[in-house]
Amino acid sequence: MSLQTEPLSSLQEPFLPEVNRQMLVILDFGSQYSELIARRIRETEVYSEVLSYRTTAEQLRQLNPRGIILSGGPRSVYAEAAPHCDPEIWSLGIPVLGVCYGMQLMVQQLGGQVERADRGEYGKADLLIDDPTDLLTNVEPGTTMWMSHGDSVSCLPEGFSVLAHTRNTPCAAVADHQRQLYGVQFHPEVIHSQGGLALIRNFVYHICRCEPTWTTAAFVEEAIREVRGRVGDKRVLLALSGGVDSSTLAFLLHEAIGDQLTCMFIDQGFMRKEEPERLIKLFQEQFHIPVHHIRAQERFLARVAGITDPEEKRKRIGHEFIRVFEEESRKLGPFDYLAQGTLYPDVIESADTNVDPKTGERVAVKIKSHHNVGGLPKDLQFKLVEPLRKLFKDEVRKVGLSIGLPEEIVRRHPFPGPGLAIRIIGEITEERLEILRNADYIVRDEINKQDIYNDFWQAFAVLLPVRTVGVMGDQRTYAYPIVLRLVSSEDGMTADWSRVPYDLLETLSNRIVNEVEGVNRVVYDITSKPPGTIEWE
């Protein structure tokens, strides 16, 4: 195969639908919250994009955003090799909001001073408002905002005034009203900041004068038009997993190009109980979207036989998936395009645009790699079509509902690509897979019966590679323990273990021990993320 995939767009190539001529830009200085800022803006139905802090004033002028937001960041603005933005940005005449590091950078570049604070401020703080106009309109005095800083502004630039303070921070919010430059020392984008969304709305609507044009209907209309224009009369191949991303993509593409779309479902044997059968029946019988069901369970199980290292498991499963995919696509092809359910967080976190040109290190820490971005072989013979690559997960769910995707798929809990293989700690065997499938089914069945499925971000079972002593029917048993993992989260970036009723835990434990052969003990994982991760491997 010689024809290579087209390169993925970088963060410097924003997607701006024809139906949407308004946007806000977030310049990323390495904050883990940059994506969250973008999401909060989109919740106001205004389009936003995250770009590198190295984006020049001239590039921004060409994009013509209604407003610019400078994100937080892990460094001090006065530190050596600290990331700085183009100082010409302050002269563009475009409203700017600096958040935490972004505020301090604004102050420093415009002639003020930032120093190490006598007392840092972390966590909740009451905001005491000095000027309730513009940025702080309708933000209640004394409202809680979330602080996270060890530096503070000690001297404001000429033309700036204080909008608000806290007990420990004299300059908690500042502004140059004439030039429409604003800064806040706290993080309005996080859920802990009670007046944060009101502040963001003030900046978006009143200061930047945006209108709510970023809607689900507008996106669907433009995405269909864009796919038709890009693909023409060529064929498109989609690897269907049954999750909300690939299912929404299948629906969207089928609406756009009909029979030019071919869906392939590779059953590697690590799916949950009854899911492959339900997926095929749903798509083929109810939605009339043909799916080629590739049964490759034996190949995958042989590939991971005896492997206990979690990363090696992932690697082998990923490589085998590519091999099966290539073989089957040759049989079904030829195809010109490969469709992927890449989402915007994948694009942001996998981009190379946040590498500091002076030091060579990434400004933001990359927590994990993403299978949809950069994970394909270089000689794969497709061009890429990725209509969802500018959407967050919650936006994908809205699109799915709007185009007729069933609730059971739209609200489906996130499920890892390697499936149950990384919920079995240690070696994967047919026996262990069967035990875990049955235990996991009980978890899902019970929370569905009690109508609390949507109360959790994820709820599943984990099988440990040890055996424990038990007693059943007056006889000694030596069987596996099952770990229950039920967590709450907004976006999966952080998560907390769910405080479920003891009655539910009792029911789950009783059912699993009585109904699943090979299990004699059930335990509950009460670890949050961080320090743990949601998945065990």
Side-chain angles (χ1 to χ4, degrees):
M1 299 182 179
S2 58
L3 184 61
Q4 297 188 7
T5 57
E6 294 180 343
L8 297 177
S9 300
S10 75
L11 296 186
Q12 298 288 14
E13 299 172 352
F15 163 79
L16 192 56
E18 291 296 321
V19 295
N20 178 60
R21 289 300 183 186
Q22 300 180 15
M23 71 181 300
L24 265 70
V25 164
I26 297 100
L27 297 187
D28 180 19
F29 289 89
S31 172
Q32 297 291 350
Y33 295 134
S34 295
E35 293 179 26
L36 190 53
I37 297 174
R39 285 186 58 205
R40 291 290 180 255
I41 294 170
R42 292 188 185 193
E43 286 172 11
T44 70
E45 296 189 337
V46 172
Y47 183 71
S48 62
E49 280 225 4
V50 180
L51 302 181
S52 166
Y53 71 91
R54 297 196 304 274
T55 305
T56 67
E58 180 55 35
Q59 288 172 317
L60 289 169
R61 184 181 288 109
Q62 293 175 13
L63 289 175
N64 193 31
R66 291 291 184 95
I68 299 168
I69 296 180
L70 311 184
S71 82
R75 298 187 185 179
S76 295
V77 293
Y78 49 75
E80 185 177 356
H84 286 182
C85 62
D86 184 345
E88 293 299 316
I89 286 174
W90 317 119
S91 304
L92 287 173
I94 298 173
V96 179
L97 172 62
V99 175
C100 203
Y101 180 94
M103 166 181 158
Q104 294 172 3
L105 181 62
M106 177 189 296
V107 166
Q108 183 196 60
Q109 288 193 337
L110 291 172
Q113 290 184 345
V114 178
E115 299 175 351
R116 188 71 184 170
D118 293 334
R119 292 181 61 185
E121 198 167 27
Y122 303 92
K124 297 177 180 179
D126 294 334
L127 191 68
L128 307 174
I129 298 175
D130 302 289
D131 180 354
T133 61
D134 282 359
L135 193 66
L136 299 181
T137 301
N138 296 324
V139 176
E140 293 292 329
T143 191
T144 297
M145 294 295 187
W146 190 260
M147 293 284 188
S148 182
H149 66 99
D151 297 331
S152 286
V153 172
S154 57
C155 179
L156 286 173
E158 184 177 350
F160 276 78
S161 60
V162 174
L163 300 182
H165 65 281
T166 69
R167 288 181 59 190
N168 295 328
T169 305
C171 299
V174 301
D176 181 332
H177 291 289
Q178 185 173 353
R179 289 191 287 175
Q180 292 190 300
L181 303 178
Y182 302 86
V184 293
Q185 188 59 73
F186 48 86
H187 286 275
E189 69 275 18
V190 303
I191 194 170
H192 308 291
S193 291
Q194 295 173 353
L197 188 56
L199 185 151
I200 290 172
R201 286 180 176 274
N202 288 335
F203 184 71
V204 170
Y205 290 138
H206 304 312
I207 294 172
C208 298
R209 301 192 178 282
C210 292
E211 296 178 358
T213 57
W214 177 247
T215 64
T216 301
F219 171 82
V220 170
E221 178 185 340
E222 177 58 25
I224 289 174
R225 184 161 58 243
E226 188 177 86
V227 167
R228 287 173 178 165
R230 178 174 172 77
V231 171
D233 60 355
K234 306 299 183 183
R235 297 182 68 197
V236 178
L237 177 62
L238 167 63
L240 188 66
S241 70
V244 62
D245 302 338
S246 68
S247 298
T248 298
L249 181 56
F251 263 53
L252 190 65
L253 290 174
H254 193 259
E255 178 70 21
I257 59 174
D259 293 341
Q260 293 170 240
L261 171 68
T262 297
C263 292
M264 179 197 301
F265 171 61
I266 299 176
D267 188 352
Q268 36 32 345
F270 306 136
M271 296 290 285
R272 291 177 287 203
K273 188 174 182 177
E274 300 178 357
E275 278 198 334
E277 297 81 7
R278 189 165 65 250
L279 173 70
I280 298 300
K281 184 175 182 180
L282 198 64
F283 271 78
Q284 295 195 157
E285 295 183 12
Q286 186 172 337
F287 309 133
H288 308 293
I289 300 177
V291 178
H292 292 272
H293 186 181
I294 313 301
R295 295 170 176 82
Q297 296 95 323
E298 291 183 6
R299 287 184 58 167
F300 280 88
L301 194 58
R303 193 78 178 91
V304 295
I307 302 302
T308 60
D309 180 75
E311 285 304 310
E312 184 64 21
K313 282 186 198 175
R314 288 178 180 271
K315 186 186 300 182
R316 288 182 176 232
I317 292 170
H319 287 173
E320 192 65 20
F321 183 90
I322 291 297
R323 276 207 282 270
V324 175
F325 184 85
E326 288 178 326
E327 292 172 12
E328 297 299 329
S329 63
R330 288 192 193 101
K331 297 176 186 177
L332 298 171
F335 298 97
D336 297 275
Y337 287 92
L338 171 66
Q340 287 197 131
T342 306
L343 303 189
Y344 197 37
D346 302 341
V347 176
I348 295 172
E349 294 176 24
S350 300
D352 292 325
T353 54
N354 282 344
V355 177
D356 191 300
K358 296 180 181 178
T359 66
E361 72 177 279
R362 286 186 60 84
V363 177
V365 178
K366 183 174 173 181
I367 304 300
K368 66 176 182 176
S369 59
H370 297 276
H371 68 278
N372 277 340
V373 181
L376 292 170
K378 292 182 179 179
D379 61 350
L380 199 60
Q381 61 170 13
F382 305 102
K383 299 175 184 177
L384 296 179
V385 56
E386 300 174 298
L388 308 181
R389 71 188 320 268
K390 289 303 176 183
L391 298 185
F392 289 100
K393 178 70 95 175
D394 55 330
E395 293 175 317
V396 174
R397 295 187 195 280
K398 291 177 183 177
V399 169
L401 286 173
S402 74
I403 59 178
L405 206 60
E407 186 84 14
E408 67 174 284
I409 293 180
V410 172
R411 301 301 177 193
R412 180 180 186 256
H413 291 172
F415 189 62
L420 299 180
I422 59 169
R423 291 179 179 173
I424 296 174
I425 311 306
E427 184 181 2
I428 304 165
T429 65
E430 288 190 43
E431 178 202 20
R432 291 179 176 181
L433 277 169
E434 186 65 16
I435 289 172
L436 183 58
R437 269 201 196 92
N438 290 328
D440 182 81
Y441 176 83
I442 290 171
V443 174
R444 291 183 292 119
D445 181 58
E446 198 59 45
I447 62 176
N448 273 312
K449 279 182 178 177
Q450 299 192 25
D451 198 25
I452 54 175
Y453 181 88
N454 294 331
D455 292 352
F456 307 104
W457 174 262
Q458 283 177 254
F460 57 91
V462 176
L463 178 69
L464 298 186
V466 296
R467 294 179 190 264
T468 68
V469 175
V471 178
M472 290 184 178
D474 295 327
Q475 294 186 0
R476 179 182 182 274
T477 62
Y478 198 51
Y480 289 106
I482 286 291
V483 179
L484 300 179
R485 183 71 163 141
L486 291 81
V487 299
S488 304
S489 178
E490 279 204 344
D491 49 24
M493 296 176 66
T494 62
D496 196 12
W497 61 279
S498 297
R499 275 68 170 173
V500 297
Y502 287 161
D503 288 349
L504 174 61
L505 293 178
E506 181 181 27
T507 300
L508 291 173
S509 178
N510 286 340
R511 285 195 61 186
I512 290 172
V513 169
N514 283 285
E515 297 176 31
V516 182
E517 186 176 351
V519 175
N520 66 357
R521 189 179 301 271
V522 175
V523 299
Y524 189 45
D525 183 350
I526 58 170
T527 312
S528 296
K529 175 188 178 182
T533 54
I534 295 177
E535 299 290 345
W536 272 50
E537 286 193 342

